[in-house]
Amino acid sequence: MEKMLEVNLKTNTKTETTSKSRVKLKKIVSYAAFVGPALLFFIVIQIIPFIMGVYYSFTSWNGVSSVVEWVGFDNYKRIFTSDERFFNSFMFTTKFMFTAVAISNLIGFTLALILNAALKTKNILRTVFFLPNVIGGLLLGFIWQFIFVRGFAAVGDLTNIAFFQQAWLGDADTAFWGLVIVFAWQISGYMMIIYIAALQGVDYSLIEAAKIDGANAFTTLTKVIIPLILPAFTICFFLTISMAFKIFDLNLSLTGGGPFNSTQSVAINIYQEAFTNNNYGLGTAKSILFFLIVAIVTTIQVMYTKKKEVEA
C-alpha cells in the first residue's frame, strides 16, 4: 500500500513538473513570437550598425574603397584640435536646442491649457494644431522657404513693415530664428497632445479645493496643476531636446546650413563629412561623439525632472 502511494506521488510530481515545463515553454514561444521579430530587426538595424560605426570611427575610410586603414584615436584628436567647423556647428545646435525647446514647450503647454477648457471647437483646433507634425521635415522646410523668401517679401512690399522686409534666410541671425519658428510650429502640436492628456488626468477636486482656499489662477497653475503633470514635462523635454539636437531634414531643406555655414547643425556637418567629403571614418567619429553628448544631456534632464516629480 505504501509503495503504491509512493508511486502515485512520484507520478503526480512528474506530471506537475511536466505541465509546468509545458506552460513555461508556451510562454517562451509566445514571447519569442511577439518580441522576436522586433528584437531581430532592432539588432540588425540599430545594434549591428552602431557597433560597426564604433569600429569605423577608429579608421580612415572613404566609404567606398575596400581598403580600411586603422588610425586609432586620430579622428577624435582631429575633432578636438583642428575641426573648427564641427565646433561651430555644435555651438549653433546647442543654442538652437535651448531656444527651440523652451519655445516649443511653452507654446504646446499654453495651447493645452486653452484647449483643455470647455470649448465647442476644441476637437477641431486640436487637429489643426497637430497637423504640422504630420508633414515631413523636408517638405515643411521647402514650404517655409517659399513663405520666408516669397511670401514675406510680398507682404513687406504691400505693407512696408520692416519685419517682413528682412532677408530671413540670407542673414545668420534671422535664419536662426526662422529655423526656431518652423521647428516650434511643427513640434508644438505634438507637445500639446501630451500636455492635454496629462491635464485630463488631473483630479478637478484639487483645483476646486485650491480655489476655495483663495488661490488665484496663477497660483493654482504653478502650485497645483504643474506639480501634478510633471511626468508630462519630463517626456516633452526629453522629446524636444533629442529632436532639436538631431535636427537635419528641416535644416537641410530650409537653409542648407547657410548662409556661410552659420546655421549648420551637427547632423548636417556629419552628413557632409561622411558623404560629401568622402571621409567616412571622421564622420563616424563625429556621430559617435554626438551620440554620447545627446545621451548624456538627455539622461541628466530625465534624472533632474524625475527628481522634481518625487519632490512634488
Side-chain angles (χ1 to χ4, degrees):
M1 188 70 178
E2 290 179 358
K3 290 183 178 180
M4 290 180 65
L5 288 172
E6 289 178 2
V7 171
N8 289 332
L9 285 172
K10 290 181 180 179
T11 305
N12 292 333
T13 304
K14 289 181 180 180
T15 305
E16 288 178 2
T17 305
T18 305
S19 61
K20 286 181 180 179
S21 62
R22 286 178 180 176
V23 171
K24 288 183 180 179
L25 182 61
K26 286 181 180 180
K27 286 184 178 181
I28 293 171
V29 171
S30 62
Y31 289 153
F34 285 103
V35 180
L39 182 62
L40 177 63
F41 279 107
F42 179 76
I43 293 172
V44 172
I45 297 174
Q46 296 287 342
I47 302 301
I48 293 177
F50 179 79
I51 295 172
M52 293 176 65
V54 173
Y55 165 74
Y56 284 123
S57 69
F58 295 101
T59 65
S60 176
W61 184 42
N62 61 7
V64 179
S65 173
S66 58
V67 178
V68 181
E69 181 184 357
W70 181 267
V71 295
F73 286 94
D74 287 353
N75 289 327
Y76 293 94
K77 291 178 182 177
R78 180 176 171 184
I79 293 171
F80 285 106
T81 57
S82 61
D83 201 330
E84 185 178 353
R85 182 173 290 183
F86 179 77
F87 176 77
N88 292 334
S89 66
F90 177 75
M91 294 304 296
F92 165 79
T93 306
T94 305
K95 178 184 173 183
F96 171 81
M97 183 272 294
F98 280 111
T99 309
V101 167
I103 294 176
S104 299
N105 282 280
L106 180 62
I107 295 174
F109 184 61
T110 304
L111 291 174
L113 288 174
I114 295 170
L115 299 182
N116 193 49
L119 298 175
K120 291 182 179 180
T121 58
K122 64 180 181 181
N123 291 331
I124 297 174
L125 291 174
R126 289 175 186 177
T127 304
V128 170
F129 289 131
F130 182 76
L131 274 177
N133 189 70
V134 180
I135 305 174
L138 283 173
L139 181 59
L140 195 65
F142 288 125
I143 291 172
W144 273 91
Q145 185 185 69
F146 176 81
I147 293 172
F148 282 129
V149 175
R150 301 291 182 87
F152 277 23
V155 174
D157 292 338
L158 291 173
T159 61
N160 289 324
I161 299 175
F163 177 83
F164 295 104
Q165 292 177 332
Q166 300 179 79
W168 273 89
L169 302 182
D171 181 74
D173 293 331
T174 52
F176 169 80
W177 285 107
L179 277 168
V180 172
I181 290 170
V182 180
F183 180 86
W185 186 76
Q186 182 186 26
I187 300 300
S188 296
Y190 186 24
M191 301 302 107
M192 175 197 70
I193 297 298
I194 297 174
Y195 285 127
I196 287 175
L199 288 170
Q200 289 179 347
V202 174
D203 189 354
Y204 193 73
S205 63
L206 298 175
I207 299 175
E208 289 293 333
K211 290 180 179 179
I212 293 171
D213 289 338
N216 56 28
F218 180 76
T219 304
T220 303
L221 176 64
T222 55
K223 301 297 183 182
V224 179
I225 295 176
I226 290 179
L228 290 173
I229 63 168
L230 279 178
F233 282 96
T234 300
I235 296 170
C236 290
F237 280 137
F238 174 80
L239 291 174
T240 48
I241 287 172
S242 59
M243 289 176 184
F245 257 130
K246 297 185 295 183
I247 184 174
F248 176 76
D249 50 358
L250 191 64
N251 192 190
L252 182 66
S253 58
L254 190 63
T255 65
F260 306 109
N261 295 320
S262 60
T263 62
Q264 185 185 75
S265 65
V266 175
I268 288 183
N269 181 272
I270 294 170
Y271 172 82
Q272 290 181 348
E273 190 69 62
F275 301 106
T276 303
N277 301 338
N278 292 326
N279 199 341
Y280 195 86
L282 181 59
T284 308
K286 289 181 178 181
S287 67
I288 297 298
L289 185 62
F290 185 49
F291 164 78
L292 293 175
I293 293 171
V294 175
I296 292 170
V297 171
T298 51
T299 301
I300 292 172
Q301 173 263 313
V302 170
M303 290 175 63
Y304 177 77
T305 50
K306 283 288 184 182
K307 183 180 177 182
K308 290 294 182 182
E309 290 177 24
V310 175
E311 291 176 356

Short mmCIF file of all heavy atoms in Angstrom, two decimals, residues 131-168:
data_model
loop_
_atom_site.label_atom_id
_atom_site.label_comp_id
_atom_site.label_asym_id
_atom_site.label_seq_id
_atom_site.Cartn_x
_atom_site.Cartn_y
_atom_site.Cartn_z
N LEU A 131 -1.67 69.07 -36.99
CA LEU A 131 -1.40 68.74 -38.40
C LEU A 131 0.03 69.03 -38.85
O LEU A 131 0.60 68.23 -39.61
CB LEU A 131 -2.39 69.49 -39.30
CG LEU A 131 -3.73 68.80 -39.55
CD1 LEU A 131 -4.63 69.68 -40.40
CD2 LEU A 131 -3.52 67.44 -40.21
N PRO A 132 0.66 70.15 -38.47
CA PRO A 132 2.05 70.38 -38.92
C PRO A 132 3.01 69.26 -38.57
O PRO A 132 4.00 69.04 -39.28
CB PRO A 132 2.43 71.69 -38.20
CG PRO A 132 1.15 72.38 -37.98
CD PRO A 132 0.14 71.30 -37.72
N ASN A 133 2.74 68.54 -37.49
CA ASN A 133 3.62 67.44 -37.10
C ASN A 133 3.55 66.27 -38.07
O ASN A 133 4.46 65.44 -38.13
CB ASN A 133 3.26 66.97 -35.69
CG ASN A 133 4.26 65.99 -35.13
OD1 ASN A 133 5.39 66.35 -34.82
ND2 ASN A 133 3.86 64.74 -35.01
N VAL A 134 2.45 66.19 -38.82
CA VAL A 134 2.28 65.10 -39.78
C VAL A 134 3.11 65.34 -41.04
O VAL A 134 3.53 64.40 -41.72
CB VAL A 134 0.78 64.95 -40.13
CG1 VAL A 134 0.56 63.82 -41.12
CG2 VAL A 134 -0.03 64.70 -38.87
N ILE A 135 3.37 66.62 -41.36
CA ILE A 135 4.11 66.96 -42.57
C ILE A 135 5.59 66.64 -42.37
O ILE A 135 6.17 66.95 -41.34
CB ILE A 135 3.94 68.46 -42.91
CG1 ILE A 135 2.46 68.81 -43.01
CG2 ILE A 135 4.65 68.80 -44.21
CD1 ILE A 135 2.20 70.28 -43.19
N GLY A 136 6.19 66.03 -43.37
CA GLY A 136 7.61 65.67 -43.29
C GLY A 136 8.50 66.89 -43.22
O GLY A 136 8.16 67.97 -43.72
N GLY A 137 9.66 66.72 -42.59
CA GLY A 137 10.58 67.84 -42.39
C GLY A 137 11.08 68.47 -43.67
O GLY A 137 11.17 69.70 -43.78
N LEU A 138 11.41 67.65 -44.68
CA LEU A 138 11.90 68.18 -45.95
C LEU A 138 10.83 69.02 -46.63
O LEU A 138 11.09 70.15 -47.07
CB LEU A 138 12.33 67.04 -46.87
CG LEU A 138 13.68 66.38 -46.57
CD1 LEU A 138 13.88 65.17 -47.46
CD2 LEU A 138 14.82 67.38 -46.77
N LEU A 139 9.63 68.48 -46.73
CA LEU A 139 8.53 69.21 -47.36
C LEU A 139 8.21 70.48 -46.59
O LEU A 139 7.99 71.54 -47.18
CB LEU A 139 7.30 68.30 -47.43
CG LEU A 139 6.04 68.90 -48.09
CD1 LEU A 139 6.32 69.31 -49.51
CD2 LEU A 139 4.89 67.91 -48.03
N LEU A 140 8.20 70.37 -45.27
CA LEU A 140 7.91 71.53 -44.43
C LEU A 140 8.96 72.62 -44.62
O LEU A 140 8.62 73.81 -44.68
CB LEU A 140 7.87 71.09 -42.96
CG LEU A 140 7.24 72.06 -41.96
CD1 LEU A 140 5.77 72.23 -42.26
CD2 LEU A 140 7.43 71.55 -40.55
N GLY A 141 10.21 72.22 -44.74
CA GLY A 141 11.28 73.19 -44.94
C GLY A 141 11.13 73.94 -46.25
O GLY A 141 11.30 75.16 -46.30
N PHE A 142 10.79 73.22 -47.31
CA PHE A 142 10.63 73.87 -48.62
C PHE A 142 9.41 74.79 -48.62
O PHE A 142 9.43 75.85 -49.26
CB PHE A 142 10.52 72.82 -49.72
CG PHE A 142 11.81 72.13 -50.03
CD1 PHE A 142 11.91 70.74 -49.98
CD2 PHE A 142 12.94 72.86 -50.37
CE1 PHE A 142 13.11 70.10 -50.25
CE2 PHE A 142 14.15 72.23 -50.64
CZ PHE A 142 14.22 70.85 -50.59
N ILE A 143 8.35 74.38 -47.93
CA ILE A 143 7.15 75.23 -47.83
C ILE A 143 7.49 76.55 -47.14
O ILE A 143 7.17 77.64 -47.61
CB ILE A 143 6.02 74.50 -47.08
CG1 ILE A 143 5.49 73.34 -47.93
CG2 ILE A 143 4.88 75.47 -46.76
CD1 ILE A 143 4.52 72.44 -47.19
N TRP A 144 8.18 76.45 -45.99
CA TRP A 144 8.51 77.65 -45.24
C TRP A 144 9.61 78.45 -45.94
O TRP A 144 9.70 79.67 -45.74
CB TRP A 144 8.93 77.29 -43.82
CG TRP A 144 7.75 77.19 -42.92
CD1 TRP A 144 7.01 76.09 -42.63
CD2 TRP A 144 7.16 78.27 -42.18
NE1 TRP A 144 5.99 76.40 -41.77
CE2 TRP A 144 6.05 77.73 -41.46
CE3 TRP A 144 7.44 79.63 -42.05
CZ2 TRP A 144 5.25 78.52 -40.65
CZ3 TRP A 144 6.65 80.41 -41.23
CH2 TRP A 144 5.57 79.86 -40.54
N GLN A 145 10.44 77.83 -46.72
CA GLN A 145 11.43 78.56 -47.51
C GLN A 145 10.71 79.48 -48.51
O GLN A 145 11.09 80.65 -48.69
CB GLN A 145 12.34 77.59 -48.26
CG GLN A 145 13.48 78.27 -49.01
CD GLN A 145 14.29 77.27 -49.82
OE1 GLN A 145 13.80 76.73 -50.81
NE2 GLN A 145 15.52 77.03 -49.41
N PHE A 146 9.66 78.97 -49.13
CA PHE A 146 8.85 79.78 -50.04
C PHE A 146 8.16 80.92 -49.28
O PHE A 146 8.10 82.06 -49.76
CB PHE A 146 7.80 78.90 -50.73
CG PHE A 146 6.86 79.67 -51.62
CD1 PHE A 146 7.23 80.01 -52.90
CD2 PHE A 146 5.61 80.06 -51.15
CE1 PHE A 146 6.37 80.72 -53.72
CE2 PHE A 146 4.74 80.77 -51.95
CZ PHE A 146 5.12 81.11 -53.25
N ILE A 147 7.67 80.62 -48.06
CA ILE A 147 7.00 81.65 -47.26
C ILE A 147 7.97 82.76 -46.87
O ILE A 147 7.66 83.96 -47.02
CB ILE A 147 6.37 81.03 -46.00
CG1 ILE A 147 5.21 80.09 -46.38
CG2 ILE A 147 5.86 82.12 -45.04
CD1 ILE A 147 4.65 79.30 -45.23
N PHE A 148 9.16 82.38 -46.40
CA PHE A 148 10.14 83.38 -45.97
C PHE A 148 10.66 84.21 -47.14
O PHE A 148 10.82 85.43 -47.01
CB PHE A 148 11.32 82.70 -45.27
CG PHE A 148 11.05 82.30 -43.85
CD1 PHE A 148 11.31 81.00 -43.41
CD2 PHE A 148 10.54 83.21 -42.94
CE1 PHE A 148 11.06 80.63 -42.10
CE2 PHE A 148 10.29 82.83 -41.62
CZ PHE A 148 10.55 81.54 -41.20
N VAL A 149 10.91 83.56 -48.27
CA VAL A 149 11.54 84.26 -49.40
C VAL A 149 10.51 85.01 -50.23
O VAL A 149 10.69 86.20 -50.53
CB VAL A 149 12.31 83.25 -50.28
CG1 VAL A 149 12.87 83.96 -51.52
CG2 VAL A 149 13.44 82.61 -49.49
N ARG A 150 9.43 84.36 -50.60
CA ARG A 150 8.44 84.99 -51.48
C ARG A 150 7.28 85.61 -50.70
O ARG A 150 6.89 86.75 -50.96
CB ARG A 150 7.90 83.93 -52.46
CG ARG A 150 8.95 83.28 -53.34
CD ARG A 150 9.51 84.26 -54.35
NE ARG A 150 10.47 83.61 -55.22
CZ ARG A 150 10.16 82.96 -56.34
NH1 ARG A 150 8.88 82.85 -56.70
NH2 ARG A 150 11.10 82.41 -57.09
N GLY A 151 6.72 84.85 -49.76
CA GLY A 151 5.53 85.33 -49.05
C GLY A 151 5.81 86.56 -48.21
O GLY A 151 5.10 87.57 -48.31
N PHE A 152 6.86 86.50 -47.38
CA PHE A 152 7.19 87.65 -46.54
C PHE A 152 7.59 88.86 -47.38
O PHE A 152 7.26 90.00 -47.03
CB PHE A 152 8.32 87.29 -45.57
CG PHE A 152 7.85 86.57 -44.34
CD1 PHE A 152 6.65 85.89 -44.33
CD2 PHE A 152 8.62 86.58 -43.18
CE1 PHE A 152 6.22 85.21 -43.19
CE2 PHE A 152 8.19 85.92 -42.04
CZ PHE A 152 6.99 85.23 -42.05
N ALA A 153 8.30 88.62 -48.48
CA ALA A 153 8.70 89.73 -49.34
C ALA A 153 7.48 90.42 -49.95
O ALA A 153 7.43 91.66 -50.03
CB ALA A 153 9.62 89.22 -50.45
N ALA A 154 6.49 89.63 -50.37
CA ALA A 154 5.27 90.21 -50.95
C ALA A 154 4.51 91.03 -49.91
O ALA A 154 4.03 92.14 -50.20
CB ALA A 154 4.39 89.10 -51.51
N VAL A 155 4.39 90.48 -48.70
CA VAL A 155 3.70 91.21 -47.63
C VAL A 155 4.46 92.49 -47.27
O VAL A 155 3.87 93.54 -47.03
CB VAL A 155 3.52 90.31 -46.39
CG1 VAL A 155 2.93 91.11 -45.22
CG2 VAL A 155 2.64 89.12 -46.71
N GLY A 156 5.79 92.40 -47.25
CA GLY A 156 6.61 93.57 -46.95
C GLY A 156 6.46 94.66 -47.99
O GLY A 156 6.43 95.86 -47.65
N ASP A 157 6.37 94.29 -49.27
CA ASP A 157 6.18 95.28 -50.33
C ASP A 157 4.82 95.97 -50.22
O ASP A 157 4.70 97.16 -50.52
CB ASP A 157 6.30 94.60 -51.70
CG ASP A 157 7.73 94.13 -51.98
OD1 ASP A 157 8.65 94.68 -51.34
OD2 ASP A 157 7.90 93.21 -52.81
N LEU A 158 3.82 95.24 -49.78
CA LEU A 158 2.47 95.81 -49.67
C LEU A 158 2.31 96.67 -48.42
O LEU A 158 1.60 97.69 -48.45
CB LEU A 158 1.42 94.68 -49.66
CG LEU A 158 1.24 93.90 -50.96
CD1 LEU A 158 0.31 92.72 -50.74
CD2 LEU A 158 0.69 94.80 -52.06
N THR A 159 2.94 96.29 -47.33
CA THR A 159 2.69 96.97 -46.05
C THR A 159 3.86 97.85 -45.58
O THR A 159 3.67 98.68 -44.68
CB THR A 159 2.42 95.93 -44.96
OG1 THR A 159 3.57 95.06 -44.82
CG2 THR A 159 1.19 95.08 -45.31
N ASN A 160 5.04 97.66 -46.19
CA ASN A 160 6.26 98.37 -45.76
C ASN A 160 6.61 98.13 -44.29
O ASN A 160 7.23 98.98 -43.63
CB ASN A 160 6.11 99.89 -46.01
CG ASN A 160 6.16 100.23 -47.49
OD1 ASN A 160 6.90 99.60 -48.24
ND2 ASN A 160 5.37 101.21 -47.90
N ILE A 161 6.22 96.97 -43.78
CA ILE A 161 6.58 96.59 -42.40
C ILE A 161 7.97 95.95 -42.43
O ILE A 161 8.22 95.01 -43.19
CB ILE A 161 5.54 95.61 -41.82
CG1 ILE A 161 4.16 96.27 -41.76
CG2 ILE A 161 5.97 95.16 -40.42
CD1 ILE A 161 3.05 95.34 -41.31
N ALA A 162 8.86 96.48 -41.58
CA ALA A 162 10.26 96.04 -41.60
C ALA A 162 10.40 94.56 -41.27
O ALA A 162 11.32 93.89 -41.76
CB ALA A 162 11.08 96.87 -40.62
N PHE A 163 9.48 94.03 -40.45
CA PHE A 163 9.55 92.62 -40.05
C PHE A 163 9.51 91.71 -41.27
O PHE A 163 10.22 90.70 -41.32
CB PHE A 163 8.38 92.31 -39.11
CG PHE A 163 8.31 90.86 -38.69
CD1 PHE A 163 9.08 90.39 -37.64
CD2 PHE A 163 7.47 89.97 -39.34
CE1 PHE A 163 9.03 89.07 -37.25
CE2 PHE A 163 7.40 88.64 -38.96
CZ PHE A 163 8.19 88.19 -37.91
N PHE A 164 8.69 92.05 -42.26
CA PHE A 164 8.55 91.20 -43.45
C PHE A 164 9.58 91.53 -44.52
O PHE A 164 9.74 90.75 -45.47
CB PHE A 164 7.14 91.37 -44.03
CG PHE A 164 6.05 90.88 -43.12
CD1 PHE A 164 5.26 91.78 -42.41
CD2 PHE A 164 5.82 89.53 -42.95
CE1 PHE A 164 4.26 91.34 -41.57
CE2 PHE A 164 4.82 89.08 -42.10
CZ PHE A 164 4.04 89.99 -41.41
N GLN A 165 10.26 92.64 -44.41
CA GLN A 165 11.21 93.05 -45.45
C GLN A 165 12.62 92.54 -45.20
O GLN A 165 13.52 92.78 -46.00
CB GLN A 165 11.22 94.58 -45.55
CG GLN A 165 9.92 95.17 -46.08
CD GLN A 165 9.93 96.68 -46.11
OE1 GLN A 165 10.62 97.31 -45.30
NE2 GLN A 165 9.17 97.28 -47.02
N GLN A 166 12.83 91.84 -44.11
CA GLN A 166 14.16 91.31 -43.80
C GLN A 166 14.51 90.13 -44.71
O GLN A 166 13.62 89.41 -45.17
CB GLN A 166 14.22 90.85 -42.34
CG GLN A 166 13.95 91.94 -41.34
CD GLN A 166 14.01 91.40 -39.92
OE1 GLN A 166 15.10 91.21 -39.37
NE2 GLN A 166 12.86 91.14 -39.32
N ALA A 167 15.80 89.95 -44.91
CA ALA A 167 16.29 88.76 -45.65
C ALA A 167 16.34 87.60 -44.67
O ALA A 167 17.39 87.28 -44.10
CB ALA A 167 17.65 89.03 -46.26
N TRP A 168 15.19 86.95 -44.47
CA TRP A 168 15.06 85.99 -43.38
C TRP A 168 16.05 84.84 -43.47
O TRP A 168 16.59 84.40 -42.46
CB TRP A 168 13.62 85.46 -43.34
CG TRP A 168 12.74 86.33 -42.52
CD1 TRP A 168 12.01 87.40 -42.94
CD2 TRP A 168 12.51 86.23 -41.11
NE1 TRP A 168 11.34 87.99 -41.89
CE2 TRP A 168 11.63 87.28 -40.75
CE3 TRP A 168 12.95 85.37 -40.12
CZ2 TRP A 168 11.20 87.47 -39.43
CZ3 TRP A 168 12.53 85.56 -38.81
CH2 TRP A 168 11.66 86.60 -38.48
#
